[in-house]
Amino acid sequence: MRREHGTPRPDWEKTIESQGLAYHRAAHPSGLFRPYWDESVHYVFSLDEVEALEEQVGELHEMCLSAAEHVVATGRFADFAIPEWAWEEVARSWERRDPHLYARFDLRYDGTGPARLLEYNADTPTSLVESSVVQWFWLQDVHPGADQWNSVHERLIERWRELRLPPGPTHFAFTNVDETGEEAMTVAYLQETAEQGGLRTMAIAMEDIGWDALNRRFVDVEQRPIRSAFKLYPWEWMLADEFGRHAVRHGTWVEPLWKTLLSNKALLAVLWELFPGHPNLLPAYLDGPRELTSYIAKPLLGREGASMRIVTPEGAQETPGSYGQEGYVFQGFEALPEFEGQRPVLGAWVVADEAAGLGIRETTGLITDDTSSFVPHLIA
């Protein structure tokens, strides 16, 4: 694994915007010295490294499924801050194995040892367009003889073909709260892959989904029933909504309700309980840092690196944010590796239950947040 430099393509901004990364300016805070998409650098991996990472990601995913089985079997829903009225429905969703589509592991990896799990974004993962499409076209333009760990697009199409969804169109829902356009473009991309997989689709805003109390079903703005829907809208928000009690019982949602168990950072502590000392895990606890002298406190439902606290023998530092009311997990802290002053996080994609590809975000800080940049990669 190494970081190399290259010359950005002429008119690269227009190129990536035409490929779906239309939000790269709006999603990145202004005043930074580098853009969100940065093709002046890239990471290079050996084939052996990629094959090892692929195997580790597959094993981590299987471990996460085992953790979900454990939580359901032992009824540990309170550890995940899931409201009690939804416990039975989460269990039923898992027992039915309601259909799921994709997820993203965030990993610490420096090329010299096993990858370490930082968290699992299993409900509403983003950076998908840049991982699946934009960096692939960069590779074809700039390094046409090289390869890339990237079968995300093909696997998404195949997964849509495999899903057994109810009859009628599948609605693809984004939220009007999104001001950057990132979520809308992500949903549009996934809608396109679903159509290539043979599904009939319709776009809708989450705010435009209505509840037909007489017929006990969700409907769109034309009063058409919503029998299945992909939503880039986290389950914790849905469960806090007045319609949440209907959502857990009516309609087929992708991602399914059982993904609340994999998209919650309490998962990290359960994994450490079930697989203590596993080389791909960092120690993690729900009741405090215990023996850890260096740790990071993560809110169970936090996003974009907000509301975190790093504690080491040298001192402590925090990130701003309003998360944490739901509780924290305390995870052993290992600083991200440093390459030329930048610290990368590997985003390893899983489609269905198979490792599918890689996206990399890097920043100068210890915590990856909305100031980080996405950089492409290739296999030597």
Side-chain angles (χ1 to χ4, degrees):
M1 177 183 179
R2 62 185 185 272
R3 188 176 190 263
E4 294 190 347
H5 295 256
T7 302
R9 292 164 294 177
D11 293 328
W12 63 267
E13 296 99 331
K14 293 181 180 178
T15 300
I16 66 171
E17 288 166 5
S18 71
Q19 294 163 353
L21 199 56
Y23 51 84
H24 70 103
R25 304 174 198 268
H28 205 44
S30 60
L32 299 180
F33 75 95
R34 63 188 301 204
Y36 171 65
W37 168 269
D38 188 355
E39 61 181 64
S40 69
V41 294
H42 58 273
Y43 282 84
V44 180
F45 297 83
S46 70
L47 182 58
D48 287 344
E49 285 178 314
V50 169
E51 289 177 342
L53 284 168
E54 188 172 26
E55 183 177 347
Q56 292 170 57
V57 168
E59 183 176 358
L60 279 170
H61 179 67
E62 290 300 318
M63 291 162 57
C64 290
L65 296 181
S66 297
E69 176 66 35
H70 167 79
V71 172
V72 171
T74 56
R76 295 182 59 180
F77 303 106
D79 287 341
F80 288 70
I82 296 171
E84 187 172 355
W85 60 264
W87 292 0
E88 184 177 349
E89 295 301 334
V90 174
R92 287 179 177 176
S93 174
W94 170 253
E95 290 160 357
R96 291 191 304 262
R97 296 300 194 271
D98 288 344
H100 62 292
L101 180 66
Y102 77 131
R104 190 192 77 235
F105 283 107
D106 284 351
L107 305 172
R108 182 200 183 278
Y109 181 71
D110 60 8
T112 64
R116 300 278 195 159
L117 173 62
L118 301 176
E119 61 183 72
Y120 200 14
N121 301 278
D123 185 16
T124 56
T126 52
S127 76
L128 178 64
V129 175
E130 45 270 56
S131 296
S132 176
V133 178
V134 181
Q135 70 167 341
W136 177 255
F137 283 114
W138 165 84
L139 183 77
Q140 303 310 304
D141 288 345
V142 182
H143 299 278
D147 201 357
Q148 191 175 80
W149 183 18
N150 190 356
S151 61
V152 177
H153 184 77
E154 296 80 6
R155 289 181 182 270
L156 285 171
I157 294 171
E158 182 59 31
R159 182 56 175 167
W160 287 119
R161 292 195 182 110
E162 295 172 351
L163 295 184
R164 297 293 179 261
L165 300 177
T170 298
H171 288 70
F172 279 73
F174 56 92
T175 173
N176 286 327
V177 175
D178 172 35
E179 297 179 350
T180 66
E182 179 180 13
E183 294 185 8
M185 290 303 299
T186 302
V187 171
Y189 169 65
L190 284 165
Q191 184 177 354
E192 179 182 337
T193 62
E195 291 175 351
Q196 292 183 42
L199 272 64
R200 288 194 298 130
T201 70
M202 301 188 69
I204 190 171
M206 287 294 296
E207 292 79 4
D208 289 334
I209 295 178
W211 173 249
D212 180 351
L214 179 62
N215 295 299
R216 300 193 61 76
R217 63 187 184 185
F218 287 99
V219 294
D220 61 20
V221 291
E222 302 295 332
Q223 295 299 306
R224 289 174 294 231
I226 298 176
R227 297 187 176 92
S228 65
F230 171 87
K231 46 87 186 164
L232 202 68
Y233 194 84
W235 267 108
E236 64 262 27
W237 295 1
M238 294 177 70
L239 296 180
D241 190 272
E242 61 178 308
F243 292 124
R245 292 177 185 265
H246 302 312
V248 301
R249 298 182 179 92
H250 300 277
T252 298
W253 301 92
V254 181
E255 297 298 320
L257 182 59
W258 62 263
K259 280 292 189 81
T260 56
L261 303 177
L262 301 191
S263 59
N264 186 305
K265 294 181 186 64
L267 172 72
L268 301 171
V270 174
L271 285 170
W272 188 250
E273 291 177 28
L274 298 179
F275 308 97
H278 192 283
N280 295 124
L281 298 178
L282 293 165
Y285 308 104
L286 290 171
D287 57 359
R290 297 191 190 180
E291 80 284 356
L292 300 174
T293 56
S294 294
Y295 65 89
I296 179 169
K298 298 180 176 181
L300 300 186
L301 301 172
R303 294 175 178 274
E304 288 289 350
S307 305
M308 291 190 179
R309 185 166 190 255
I310 296 175
V311 177
T312 68
E314 290 72 40
Q317 65 180 76
E318 299 182 13
T319 59
S322 57
Y323 298 103
Q325 299 91 337
E326 67 282 357
Y328 287 81
V329 67
F330 301 85
Q331 184 184 46
F333 176 70
E334 288 187 10
L336 294 171
E338 191 169 346
F339 290 78
E340 299 181 312
Q342 296 291 324
R343 299 181 184 273
V345 165
L346 272 58
W349 292 93
V350 174
V351 178
D353 296 306
E354 302 291 334
L358 177 67
I360 301 175
R361 294 176 68 187
E362 62 174 18
T363 184
T364 56
L366 295 174
I367 295 176
T368 306
D369 55 21
D370 62 354
T371 66
S372 64
S373 293
F374 189 100
V375 298
H377 78 278
L378 59 85
I379 300 172

